[in-house]
Amino acid sequence: MTDGFHLAARLSLSFLWLFTAVTSAFLARDIGYQVLASGGITGTFADVCLYSGSLVDAAIGLWVLSGRKLKPCYLVQLMVIATYTLLLTIIDPGFWTHPFGPLTKNLPLLVLIGGLYAHTRE
């Protein structure tokens, strides 16, 4: 893996996490609340879930961007994506067959992050 590819992959991952954080907290809150409500999560607990998820996404995006301690950062990303995928599968397995692939896109992300982990020297 070239240094240029590694940097491009890191920057694109950082963008993904940061954009997701902003979208979840500000641009598409209603969609997030609808998904949570379909899983029986409403009220104050839904607020906590939505905003804490957004903060986790923002923290990961900034961590990736910083370029520091990337191996643990990649492991955290793998765990967070796996957790989000499991939770969304439980809430609505239909996300697997959604035409825009909100869950199926996680599979290549996991492969990319795993590759970055394997090729990071720290």
Side-chain angles (χ1 to χ4, degrees), residues 79-94:
M79 289 186 292
V80 169
I81 292 170
T83 301
Y84 285 173
T85 301
L86 177 63
L87 291 173
L88 282 171
T89 298
I90 292 167
I91 289 172
D92 185 354

Side-chain angles (χ1 to χ4, degrees), residues 63-85:
W63 189 2
V64 173
L65 192 60
S66 79
R68 296 189 176 148
K69 303 275 187 193
L70 288 173
K71 281 207 161 226
C73 179
Y74 294 139
L75 290 176
V76 167
Q77 288 178 75
L78 293 171
M79 289 186 292
V80 169
I81 292 170
T83 301
Y84 285 173
T85 301

Side-chain angles (χ1 to χ4, degrees), residues 37-65:
S38 70
I41 300 168
T42 59
T44 302
F45 189 50
D47 292 334
V48 169
C49 289
L50 188 121
Y51 288 108
S52 61
S54 183
L55 284 173
V56 166
D57 292 355
I60 291 172
L62 293 172
W63 189 2
V64 173
L65 192 60

Side-chain angles (χ1 to χ4, degrees), residues 27-40:
L27 305 176
R29 275 190 309 253
D30 291 344
I31 295 170
Y33 283 125
Q34 288 171 5
V35 171
L36 290 168
S38 70

